[in-house]
Coordinates of all heavy atoms in Angstrom, one line a residue:
E169 N 78.4 66.3 120.4 CA 78.9 65.9 119.2 C 79.0 67.1 118.1 O 80.0 67.4 117.4 CB 78.1 64.9 118.5 CG 78.6 64.4 117.2 CD 80.0 63.7 117.3 OE1 80.3 63.2 118.4 OE2 80.7 63.5 116.3
R170 N 77.9 68.0 118.0 CA 78.0 69.2 117.2 C 79.1 70.1 117.6 O 79.7 70.8 116.8 CB 76.7 69.9 117.2 CG 75.5 68.9 116.7 CD 75.4 68.9 115.1 NE 76.4 68.0 114.5 CZ 76.3 66.7 114.5 NH1 75.3 66.1 115.0 NH2 77.3 66.0 113.9
L171 N 79.2 70.3 118.9 CA 80.2 71.3 119.4 C 81.6 70.8 119.1 O 82.4 71.5 118.6 CB 79.9 71.3 121.0 CG 80.8 72.4 121.7 CD1 80.4 73.8 121.3 CD2 80.6 72.3 123.2
S172 N 81.9 69.5 119.3 CA 83.3 69.0 119.0 C 83.6 69.1 117.5 O 84.7 69.4 117.1 CB 83.4 67.6 119.5 OG 82.5 66.7 118.9
E173 N 82.6 68.8 116.7 CA 82.8 68.9 115.3 C 83.1 70.3 114.8 O 84.0 70.6 114.0 CB 81.6 68.4 114.4 CG 81.4 66.9 114.4 CD 80.3 66.4 113.6 OE1 79.7 67.3 112.9 OE2 80.1 65.3 113.4
F174 N 82.4 71.3 115.5 CA 82.6 72.7 115.0 C 84.1 73.2 115.4 O 84.8 73.8 114.6 CB 81.7 73.6 115.7 CG 81.9 75.0 115.5 CD1 81.6 75.7 114.3 CD2 82.5 75.9 116.4 CE1 81.8 77.0 114.0 CE2 82.9 77.2 116.2 CZ 82.4 77.8 115.0
F175 N 84.5 72.8 116.6 CA 85.8 73.2 117.0 C 86.9 72.4 116.5 O 88.1 73.0 116.7 CB 85.8 73.5 118.5 CG 85.0 74.6 119.1 CD1 83.8 74.5 119.6 CD2 85.6 75.8 119.0 CE1 83.2 75.6 120.1 CE2 84.9 77.0 119.4 CZ 83.7 76.9 120.0
R176 N 86.8 71.3 116.0 CA 87.8 70.6 115.4 C 88.0 70.7 113.9 O 88.7 70.0 113.3 CB 87.8 69.1 115.8 CG 86.8 68.3 115.2 CD 86.9 66.8 115.5 NE 85.9 66.0 115.0 CZ 84.9 65.4 115.8 NH1 84.9 65.4 117.0 NH2 84.0 64.6 115.2
R177 N 87.0 71.4 113.4 CA 86.9 71.5 111.9 C 88.3 72.1 111.4 O 88.8 73.1 112.0 CB 85.6 72.3 111.4 CG 85.7 73.7 111.8 CD 84.3 74.3 111.8 NE 84.3 75.7 112.2 CZ 84.1 76.8 111.5 NH1 83.9 76.6 110.0 NH2 84.1 78.0 111.9
Y178 N 88.5 72.0 110.1 CA 89.6 72.7 109.4 C 88.9 73.5 108.3 O 87.9 73.4 107.8 CB 90.6 71.7 108.7 CG 89.9 70.7 107.7 CD1 89.9 71.0 106.4 CD2 89.3 69.5 108.2 CE1 89.3 70.2 105.5 CE2 88.7 68.6 107.2 CZ 88.7 69.0 105.9 OH 88.2 68.1 104.9
P179 N 89.7 74.6 107.9 CA 89.2 75.5 106.8 C 88.9 74.8 105.5 O 89.6 73.9 105.0 CB 90.4 76.5 106.6 CG 91.1 76.4 107.8 CD 91.1 75.0 108.3
Y180 N 87.8 74.9 105.0 CA 87.2 74.3 103.8 C 86.3 75.1 103.1 O 85.2 75.5 103.5 CB 86.6 72.9 104.3 CG 86.0 72.1 103.1 CD1 86.7 71.4 102.2 CD2 84.7 72.1 103.0 CE1 86.2 70.7 101.1 CE2 84.0 71.4 102.0 CZ 84.8 70.7 101.0 OH 84.3 70.0 100.0
D181 N 86.7 75.4 101.8 CA 85.8 76.2 100.9 C 85.1 75.2 100.1 O 85.5 74.6 99.1 CB 86.6 77.1 100.1 CG 87.3 78.2 100.9 OD1 86.8 78.5 102.0 OD2 88.3 78.6 100.4
E182 N 83.7 75.1 100.4 CA 83.0 74.1 99.7 C 82.8 74.4 98.2 O 82.3 73.4 97.5 CB 81.6 73.9 100.3 CG 80.8 75.2 100.3 CD 79.4 75.1 101.1 OE1 79.2 74.1 101.7 OE2 78.6 76.1 101.1
W183 N 83.0 75.5 97.8 CA 82.7 75.9 96.3 C 83.9 75.6 95.5 O 83.7 75.9 94.2 CB 82.3 77.4 96.3 CG 83.4 78.4 96.6 CD1 84.4 78.8 95.8 CD2 83.6 78.9 97.9 NE1 85.2 79.7 96.4 CE2 84.8 79.8 97.8 CE3 83.0 78.9 99.1 CZ2 85.3 80.5 98.8 CZ3 83.6 79.6 100.1 CH2 84.6 80.4 100.0
Y184 N 85.0 75.1 95.9 CA 86.1 75.0 95.1 C 86.0 74.1 93.9 O 86.7 74.3 92.9 CB 87.4 74.5 96.0 CG 87.4 73.0 96.2 CD1 88.1 72.1 95.3 CD2 86.7 72.4 97.2 CE1 88.1 70.7 95.5 CE2 86.7 71.1 97.4 CZ 87.4 70.2 96.6 OH 87.4 68.9 96.7
P185 N 85.1 73.1 93.9 CA 85.0 72.2 92.6 C 84.0 72.7 91.6 O 83.8 72.0 90.6 CB 84.7 70.9 93.2 CG 83.8 71.1 94.4 CD 84.3 72.4 95.0
L186 N 83.3 73.8 91.9 CA 82.2 74.2 91.0 C 82.7 74.8 89.7 O 83.8 75.4 89.8 CB 81.4 75.2 91.7 CG 80.7 74.8 93.1 CD1 79.8 76.0 93.6 CD2 79.8 73.6 92.9
D187 N 82.1 74.5 88.6 CA 82.4 75.1 87.4 C 81.9 76.5 87.3 O 81.1 77.0 88.2 CB 82.0 74.3 86.2 CG 80.4 74.3 86.0 OD1 79.7 75.1 86.6 OD2 79.9 73.3 85.5
P188 N 82.3 77.4 86.3 CA 81.9 78.8 86.3 C 80.4 79.0 86.5 O 79.8 79.9 87.2 CB 82.4 79.3 85.0 CG 83.6 78.5 84.8 CD 83.2 77.1 85.2
Q189 N 79.6 78.1 85.7 CA 78.1 78.3 85.8 C 77.6 77.9 87.2 O 76.7 78.6 87.8 CB 77.5 77.4 84.8 CG 77.7 77.9 83.3 CD 79.1 77.6 82.8 OE1 79.8 76.6 83.3 NE2 79.7 78.5 82.0
E190 N 78.1 76.9 87.8 CA 77.7 76.5 89.1 C 78.1 77.5 90.2 O 77.3 77.8 91.1 CB 78.2 75.1 89.5 CG 77.7 74.0 88.6 CD 78.5 72.8 88.7 OE1 79.8 72.8 89.1 OE2 78.0 71.6 88.3
L191 N 79.2 78.0 90.0 CA 79.8 79.1 90.9 C 78.9 80.3 90.9 O 78.6 80.9 91.9 CB 81.3 79.4 90.5 CG 81.8 80.6 91.4 CD1 82.0 79.9 92.9 CD2 83.1 81.0 90.9
A192 N 78.4 80.7 89.6 CA 77.7 81.8 89.4 C 76.3 81.7 90.3 O 75.8 82.7 90.9 CB 77.3 82.2 88.1
A193 N 75.7 80.6 90.2 CA 74.5 80.2 91.1 C 74.8 80.3 92.5 O 74.1 80.8 93.4 CB 74.0 78.9 90.7
Y194 N 76.1 79.8 92.9 CA 76.5 79.8 94.3 C 76.6 81.3 94.8 O 76.2 81.6 95.9 CB 77.7 79.0 94.5 CG 78.2 78.7 95.8 CD1 77.8 77.7 96.6 CD2 79.2 79.7 96.6 CE1 78.2 77.4 97.9 CE2 79.5 79.4 97.8 CZ 79.1 78.3 98.5 OH 79.5 78.1 99.9
V195 N 77.3 82.0 94.0 CA 77.5 83.5 94.4 C 76.3 84.3 94.7 O 76.2 85.2 95.5 CB 78.4 84.2 93.4 CG1 78.5 85.7 93.7 CG2 79.8 83.5 93.4
K196 N 75.2 83.9 94.0 CA 73.9 84.6 94.2 C 73.4 84.4 95.5 O 72.8 85.2 96.2 CB 72.9 84.0 93.3 CG 73.1 84.5 91.7 CD 72.0 84.0 90.8 CE 72.2 84.4 89.5 NZ 71.2 83.9 88.5
E197 N 73.8 83.2 96.1 CA 73.4 82.8 97.5 C 74.3 83.3 98.6 O 74.1 83.8 99.7 CB 73.1 81.4 97.7 CG 72.5 81.0 99.0 CD 72.2 79.5 99.0 OE1 72.3 78.8 98.0 OE2 71.6 79.1 100.2
Y198 N 75.6 83.3 98.2 CA 76.8 83.7 99.0 C 77.6 84.7 98.3 O 78.7 84.4 97.8 CB 77.6 82.5 99.4 CG 76.8 81.5 100.2 CD1 76.3 80.3 99.4 CD2 76.4 81.5 101.5 CE1 75.6 79.3 100.1 CE2 75.7 80.5 102.1 CZ 75.2 79.4 101.5 OH 74.4 78.5 102.1
P199 N 77.2 86.0 98.3 CA 77.9 87.0 97.5 C 79.3 87.3 97.9 O 80.1 87.9 97.2 CB 77.0 88.2 97.6 CG 76.2 88.0 98.8 CD 76.0 86.6 98.9
E200 N 79.7 87.0 99.1 CA 81.0 87.2 99.6 C 82.0 86.1 99.1 O 83.3 86.3 99.4 CB 81.1 87.3 101.2 CG 81.0 85.9 101.8 CD 79.5 85.4 101.9 OE1 78.6 86.0 101.4 OE2 79.3 84.3 102.6
T201 N 81.6 85.2 98.3 CA 82.5 84.1 97.9 C 83.6 84.8 96.9 O 83.3 85.5 96.1 CB 81.7 83.1 97.0 OG1 80.6 82.5 97.9 CG2 82.6 82.0 96.5
V202 N 84.8 84.2 97.1 CA 86.0 84.6 96.2 C 86.3 83.4 95.4 O 86.7 82.4 95.9 CB 87.2 85.0 97.2 CG1 88.3 85.4 96.2 CG2 86.8 86.2 98.0
P203 N 86.1 83.5 94.0 CA 86.5 82.5 93.1 C 88.0 82.0 93.2 O 88.8 82.9 93.5 CB 86.0 83.0 91.8 CG 85.1 84.0 92.0 CD 85.6 84.6 93.3
Y204 N 88.2 80.9 92.8 CA 89.6 80.3 92.6 C 89.9 80.6 91.3 O 89.1 80.8 90.3 CB 89.7 78.9 93.0 CG 89.6 78.6 94.4 CD1 88.5 78.3 95.1 CD2 90.8 78.6 95.2 CE1 88.4 78.1 96.5 CE2 90.8 78.4 96.6 CZ 89.6 78.1 97.2 OH 89.7 77.8 98.6
P205 N 91.3 80.7 90.9 CA 91.7 81.1 89.7 C 91.2 80.1 88.5 O 90.9 80.6 87.4 CB 93.3 80.9 89.7 CG 93.6 81.2 91.1 CD 92.5 80.6 92.0
W206 N 91.0 78.9 88.8 CA 90.6 77.9 87.8 C 89.1 78.0 87.6 O 88.5 77.3 86.7 CB 90.9 76.4 88.2 CG 90.4 76.0 89.5 CD1 89.1 75.6 89.8 CD2 91.1 75.9 90.7 NE1 89.0 75.3 91.1 CE2 90.2 75.5 91.7 CE3 92.4 76.3 91.1 CZ2 90.5 75.4 93.1 CZ3 92.8 76.2 92.5 CH2 91.8 75.7 93.4
Q207 N 88.3 78.8 88.4 CA 86.9 79.0 88.1 C 86.5 80.1 87.2 O 85.4 80.5 87.0 CB 86.2 79.2 89.5 CG 86.4 77.8 90.3 CD 85.8 78.0 91.7 OE1 86.0 79.0 92.4 NE2 84.9 77.0 92.1
A208 N 87.6 80.9 86.7 CA 87.3 81.9 85.6 C 86.7 81.2 84.4 O 87.1 80.1 84.0 CB 88.6 82.7 85.3
A209 N 85.8 81.8 83.7 CA 85.1 81.2 82.7 C 85.9 80.9 81.4 O 85.6 80.0 80.7 CB 83.9 82.1 82.2
T210 N 87.1 81.6 81.3 CA 88.0 81.4 80.2 C 89.2 80.8 80.4 O 90.1 80.7 79.5 CB 88.1 82.7 79.5 OG1 88.8 83.6 80.3 CG2 86.8 83.3 79.0
S211 N 89.4 80.3 81.7 CA 90.7 79.7 82.0 C 90.7 78.3 82.5 O 89.7 77.8 83.0 CB 91.4 80.7 83.0 OG 90.7 80.5 84.3
E212 N 91.8 77.6 82.2 CA 92.0 76.3 82.7 C 93.0 76.3 83.9 O 94.0 77.1 83.9 CB 92.6 75.3 81.6 CG 91.6 75.0 80.6 CD 90.5 74.2 81.0 OE1 90.5 73.4 81.8 OE2 89.3 74.4 80.5
P213 N 92.7 75.5 84.8 CA 93.6 75.6 86.2 C 95.0 75.0 85.7 O 95.2 74.1 85.0 CB 93.0 74.7 87.1 CG 92.2 73.8 86.3 CD 91.7 74.5 85.0
T214 N 96.1 75.7 86.4 CA 97.4 75.2 86.3 C 97.8 74.7 87.6 O 97.1 74.9 88.6 CB 98.3 76.3 85.8 OG1 98.3 77.3 86.9 CG2 97.9 77.0 84.6
Q215 N 98.9 74.0 87.5 CA 99.4 73.4 88.9 C 99.7 74.6 89.8 O 99.6 74.4 91.0 CB 100.5 72.5 88.6 CG 101.0 71.8 89.9 CD 99.9 70.9 90.5 OE1 99.2 70.2 89.7 NE2 99.7 70.9 91.8

Side-chain angles (χ1 to χ4, degrees):
E169 183 64 19
R170 298 280 77 79
L171 187 65
S172 63
E173 284 189 359
F174 175 78
F175 283 104
R176 72 170 176 249
R177 67 197 175 108
Y178 60 90
Y180 174 73
D181 294 332
E182 62 184 4
W183 65 86
Y184 80 92
L186 302 180
D187 65 27
Q189 292 72 34
E190 294 165 341
L191 180 67
Y194 186 90
V195 170
K196 288 181 180 180
E197 188 173 359
Y198 302 99
E200 72 278 7
T201 302
V202 179
Y204 285 91
W206 57 82
Q207 292 177 315
T210 59
S211 65
E212 290 294 329
T214 65
Q215 188 59 47

